[in-house]
Amino acid sequence: GAVVSQHPSRVICKSGTSVKIECRSLDFQATTMFWYRQFPKQSLMLMATSNEGSKATYEQGVEKDKFLINHASLTLSTLTVTSAHPEDSSFYICSAMGLANEQYFGPGTRLTVT
Amino acid sequence: GQQVMQIPQYQHVQEGEDFTTYCNSSTTLSNIQWYKQRPGGHPVFLIQLVKSGEVKKQKRLTFQFGEAKKNSSLHITATQTTDVGTYFCAGRDSGTYKYIFGTGTRLKVLA
């Protein structure tokens, strides 16, 4: 089956620093990847849609200059949280879209900003 | 904007009892998907429904897409402890490419 990896799985950083999260589709190519944020015991909130070779499309209320997304290849999308603050602490999860529009999710990245 | 609500928010059942979660969209959907997220895990794709009134079955799970393509349901027959988790629907708006996740239903199965 389709496998999506995320790295790192957990990261702790200091306020004001930047953190990069990688999302890779390991055994298939994904033109489209999605980035979500999930708070404890809540649903997934779509942050942005990442399309290979073009600019990401951000959802309303998501700052594109704070959450930089790069989809440089058909198997890799990255999310960089710039100048992180404690309120950015969350579970960030990516997904890659399959041929039938199903989404294969990565295991997620737990970000803690101190 | 598009909103997708699920009820109930939580459900505790005795093992062997049936369980149903309902998904309702504020807009007409082109298709709907269902995902299961185990505690501490990530969402796993279960199924996709596309046609109005479509019904699909996976062993003890029955999925239904409403005639108006604005609602859906997931029914589990004779729940087992392995069914524990949060079930999310994800609806794709007719005019967009993206999926909006429902609020989720957290299922606990008591042995």
Side-chain angles (χ1 to χ4, degrees):
Chain A
V3 178
V4 175
S5 70
Q6 258 183 265
H7 178 80
S9 58
R10 290 178 180 272
V11 58
I12 300 172
C13 71
K14 291 188 176 181
S15 189
T17 62
S18 296
V19 173
K20 180 185 280 189
I21 303 170
E22 292 186 349
C23 177
R24 291 181 186 273
S25 56
L26 298 184
D27 51 1
F28 68 106
Q29 294 181 329
T31 309
T32 302
M33 291 184 174
F34 299 97
W35 286 95
Y36 295 88
R37 189 170 176 177
Q38 187 174 34
F39 292 102
K41 298 182 180 179
Q42 292 191 25
S43 186
L44 289 85
M45 184 192 79
L46 179 64
M47 297 175 66
T49 303
S50 172
N51 294 296
E52 187 268 337
S54 64
K55 290 183 179 180
T57 305
Y58 290 82
E59 293 302 300
Q60 193 172 9
V62 178
E63 298 175 57
K64 61 180 182 181
D65 294 331
K66 180 167 185 61
F67 298 99
L68 300 177
I69 291 173
N70 186 293
H71 194 155
S73 76
L74 288 172
T75 59
L76 173 65
S77 176
T78 60
L79 167 68
T80 302
V81 183
T82 63
S83 187
H85 290 286
E87 57 265 31
D88 298 324
S89 299
S90 188
F91 188 62
Y92 292 88
I93 190 164
C94 71
S95 71
M97 184 174 272
L99 293 175
N101 296 325
E102 73 277 30
Q103 293 182 56
Y104 298 99
F105 282 85
T109 297
R110 175 78 55 195
L111 170 64
T112 303
V113 185
T114 60
Chain B
Q2 180 191 5
Q3 288 188 325
V4 182
M5 304 296 293
Q6 278 181 256
I7 55 171
Q9 190 175 3
Y10 304 97
Q11 184 88 59
H12 293 184
V13 299
Q14 285 292 138
E15 189 173 22
E17 291 182 341
D18 292 356
F19 159 77
T20 304
T21 172
Y22 299 92
C23 175
N24 295 289
S25 170
S26 58
T27 60
T28 302
L29 303 171
S30 60
N31 59 50
I32 196 159
Q33 299 174 344
W34 283 91
Y35 293 82
K36 176 184 179 181
Q37 186 174 22
R38 290 181 184 273
H42 59 274
V44 173
F45 175 77
L46 295 177
I47 208 158
Q48 176 170 270
L49 304 170
V50 179
K51 298 177 184 175
S52 169
E54 188 171 13
V55 177
K56 286 188 176 181
K57 291 191 175 185
Q58 284 181 352
K59 296 182 181 179
R60 295 179 295 104
L61 277 61
T62 302
F63 304 85
Q64 193 164 9
F65 200 8
E67 294 290 341
K69 300 184 79 172
K70 294 183 74 173
N71 54 62
S72 180
S73 65
L74 158 59
H75 179 83
I76 302 178
T77 304
T79 54
Q80 299 175 358
T81 54
T82 53
D83 295 326
V84 165
T86 302
Y87 292 85
F88 291 102
C89 62
R92 188 179 197 182
D93 189 90
S94 297
T96 71
Y97 51 84
K98 61 189 180 184
Y99 287 87
I100 301 300
F101 275 74
T103 47
T105 296
R106 197 177 324 153
L107 173 65
K108 280 193 175 181
V109 180
L110 306 172

